[in-house]
């Protein structure tokens, strides 16, 4: 009985090199480009190994194959950068190399990359100077281990549709990882396996936020999606409580005393804390002396203390429709660092001497203490 012949034709080296000319490919994509049937993949891999030995082909990081003699990413039209989503239909890659321009990526070419992921991508041959286009080859570093989105139940299986990421496939949530979430609820899920090829990613629910129509849930989704901190460490809170006392002689010493100057805050009526105040006086020779007074938060933040580290992590206070996520604990943010009327407050003041025609003639800056009138 004669042996069955192998359906794969002898390897066309020229075709392999031509397929790799635009840039590196994975073994699967290279076989697909050469129309290698599944039954011939093992033989094709052995033939490719022979080209590796002869250095006609090289294997580069991530398991990709490229033309021999040019293994470096730049020579292979590879680029590494961060994904930034703009629309459902496309995103951009901001290269790590500041000398490179941003790359346009169609949603179909994002693979399973998410916004803020660091990826390795291949610059496509049809790119132009005004619109360079790329295709993601692999994710180098994931930006998020947790995802926020809508839970969908289908019989015993559950799925997570990540919020605000219409081009991302749903993640599978096995029955034992659903935490009794109901169909349509907003949830936070921990990724347990990232998507790979045609295999869906997996996740487990760690927090149920509630129905999308429930008041406040939409805001909580935003908070969780962006990883905004809602609480402070006990060390930072303890430090804040220790500092939350009205300024006394020790705090005021060495500051310009402006408590006798008519000063008013300029934050809106619905403001939850007061950061800015102004004063204005007529100058004897004409014009005005304008003072702008800002809460001196730096006085309370010593470098590398728990409060300083927490403030660095946040960077700013975040004002949401139904809540404020303060940069500092409330004893400071709405207390001694808020320029509330009728209280002495430590400030940094800028004075501008303004001519009648509006020209600023002179400026001065001081660490000061004020007493806002309202």
């Amino acid at each position: 009985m004669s042996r069955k012949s192998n359906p794969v034709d002898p390897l066309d080296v020229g075709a392999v090199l031509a397929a790799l000319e635009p840039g590196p490919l994975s073994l699967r994509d290279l076989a697909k480009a050469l129309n290698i049937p599944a039954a011939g993949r093992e033989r094709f891999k052995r033939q490719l190994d022979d080209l590796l030995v002869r250095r006609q082909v090289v294997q580069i990081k991530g398991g990709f194959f490229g033309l021999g003699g040019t293994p470096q990413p730049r020579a292979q039209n590879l680029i590494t950068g961060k994904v930034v989503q703009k629309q459902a239909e496309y995103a951009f890659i901001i290269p790590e190399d500041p000398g490179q321009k941003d790359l346009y990526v169609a949603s179909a070419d994002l693979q399973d990359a998410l916004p803020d992921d660091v990826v390795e991508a291949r610059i496509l041959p049809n790119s132009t100077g005004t619109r360079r286009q790329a295709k993601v080859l692999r994710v180098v570093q994931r930006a998020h281990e947790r995802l926020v989105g809508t839970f969908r139940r289908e019989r015993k299986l559950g799925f997570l549709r990540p919020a605000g990421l219409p081009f991302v496939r749903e993640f599978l949530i096995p029955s034992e990882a659903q935490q009794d979430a109901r169909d349509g609820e907003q949830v936070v899920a921990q990724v347990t396996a990232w998507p790979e090829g045609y295999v869906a990613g997996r996740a487990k629910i760690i927090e149920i936020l509630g129905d999308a129509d429930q008041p406040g849930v939409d805001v909580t989704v935003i908070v969780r999606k962006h990883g905004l901190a809602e609480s402070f460490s006990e060390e930072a809170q303890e430090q804040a409580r220790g500092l939350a006392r009205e300024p006394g002689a020790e705090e005021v010493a060495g500051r310009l005393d402006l408590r006798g100057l008519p000063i008013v805050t300029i934050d809106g009526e619905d403001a939850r804390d007061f950061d800015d105040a102004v004063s204005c006086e007529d100058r004897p020779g004409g014009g005005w002396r304008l003072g702008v007074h800002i809460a001196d938060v730096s006085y309370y933040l010593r470098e590398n203390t728990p409060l300083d580290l927490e403030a660095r992590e946040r960077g700013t206070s975040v004002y949401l429709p139904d809540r404020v996520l303060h940069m500092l604990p409330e004893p400071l943010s709405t207390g001694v660092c808020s320029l509330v009327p009728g209280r002495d407050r430590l400030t940094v003041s800028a004075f501008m001497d303004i001519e009648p025609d509006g020209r600023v003639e002179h400026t001065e800056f001081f660490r000061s203490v004020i007493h806002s009138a309202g």
Side-chain angles (χ1 to χ4, degrees):
M1 187 173 177
S2 62
R3 270 181 90 180
K4 212 172 194 180
S5 61
N6 194 310
V8 181
D9 294 329
L11 185 65
D12 185 341
V13 176
V16 173
L17 301 182
L20 294 174
E21 180 65 34
L25 294 172
S26 66
L27 180 65
R28 184 182 66 182
D29 288 342
L30 181 56
K32 186 177 178 181
L34 296 171
N35 296 317
I36 305 292
R41 295 288 170 86
E42 282 302 316
R43 180 183 173 188
F44 173 61
K45 189 174 180 181
R46 291 195 300 272
Q47 292 171 323
L48 203 57
D49 287 341
D50 183 54
L51 295 184
L52 289 171
V53 171
R54 288 188 275 160
R55 298 202 59 77
Q56 289 178 279
V57 170
V58 294
Q59 191 166 4
I60 58 180
K61 62 180 181 177
F64 291 88
F65 295 88
L67 295 177
T70 54
Q72 297 302 315
R74 184 180 293 276
Q76 293 288 341
N77 291 325
L78 290 187
I79 198 161
T80 302
K82 181 184 289 188
V83 174
V84 177
Q85 180 194 0
K86 293 297 183 182
Q87 297 290 339
E89 298 81 12
Y90 65 89
F92 286 94
I93 295 175
I94 301 176
E96 289 182 343
D97 182 353
Q100 294 278 348
K101 294 182 179 179
D102 295 352
L103 293 157
Y104 172 92
V105 186
S107 60
D109 290 332
L110 278 168
Q111 309 297 1
D112 295 300
L114 301 178
D116 299 324
D117 284 349
V118 177
V119 300
E120 187 174 66
R122 175 163 55 89
I123 301 173
L124 299 179
N126 61 343
S127 295
T128 65
T130 56
R131 180 166 163 175
R132 296 202 310 160
Q133 191 165 348
K135 176 180 181 179
V136 172
L137 299 178
R138 68 186 183 100
V139 176
V140 176
Q141 182 179 349
R142 292 287 183 182
H144 309 286
E145 293 298 327
R146 295 181 178 182
L147 297 173
V148 182
T150 304
F151 175 72
R152 179 175 68 83
R153 186 185 295 279
E154 192 172 297
R155 296 181 182 177
K156 290 186 177 181
L157 290 178
F159 299 90
L160 173 73
R161 163 59 64 181
L165 304 176
F167 58 81
V168 175
R169 288 185 295 166
E170 291 183 322
F171 280 71
L172 173 67
I173 301 182
S175 57
E176 67 274 11
Q178 295 174 13
Q179 300 286 356
D180 297 323
R182 296 184 306 223
D183 187 65
E185 284 191 311
Q186 302 300 298
V187 300
V188 181
Q190 179 81 35
V191 176
T192 57
W194 291 102
E196 188 172 347
Y198 296 104
V199 180
R202 288 175 173 256
K204 63 178 181 180
I205 293 175
I206 59 175
E207 185 180 6
I208 298 173
L209 304 180
D211 293 321
D213 295 332
Q214 184 179 340
V217 170
D218 55 344
V219 178
T220 304
V221 167
I222 294 171
V223 171
R224 296 292 187 275
K225 180 182 175 185
H226 294 283
L228 302 177
E230 293 185 279
S231 61
F232 293 89
S233 67
E234 182 54 42
E235 294 82 3
Q237 293 184 65
E238 183 179 351
Q239 186 186 356
R241 288 191 292 268
L243 293 169
R245 60 182 182 272
E246 296 296 305
E250 181 182 346
E251 289 80 16
V252 172
R255 290 177 173 266
L256 179 65
D257 193 339
L258 302 174
R259 287 175 287 187
L261 195 65
I263 294 175
V264 294
T265 58
I266 57 173
D267 295 278
E269 289 184 3
D270 57 349
R272 298 163 193 178
D273 45 55
F274 304 95
D275 305 316
D276 314 287
V278 296
S279 59
C280 191
E281 304 169 274
D282 290 326
R283 294 174 64 203
W288 306 269
R289 183 169 174 80
L290 174 66
V292 178
H293 316 280
I294 308 297
D296 188 2
V297 178
S298 64
Y299 176 81
Y300 298 96
L301 293 185
R302 296 295 184 261
E303 190 174 4
N304 294 323
T305 60
L307 276 176
D308 176 48
L309 297 176
E310 291 269 3
R312 282 193 225 172
E313 191 69 27
R314 288 163 173 76
T316 184
S317 295
V318 179
Y319 294 85
L320 298 164
D322 63 350
R323 72 197 80 169
V324 178
L325 304 181
H326 291 288
M327 187 177 72
L328 299 173
E330 287 201 10
L332 297 180
S333 59
T334 61
V336 294
C337 292
S338 182
L339 307 183
V340 293
R343 299 289 183 87
D344 291 353
R345 289 294 181 258
L346 306 182
T347 51
V348 175
S349 298
F351 283 99
M352 290 151 277
D353 292 334
I354 303 174
E355 294 292 302
D357 62 2
R359 288 183 298 108
V360 177
E361 182 187 65
H362 179 68
T363 58
E364 292 182 287
F365 298 90
F366 303 95
R367 291 197 181 276
S368 54
V369 55
I370 70 169
H371 190 95
S372 175

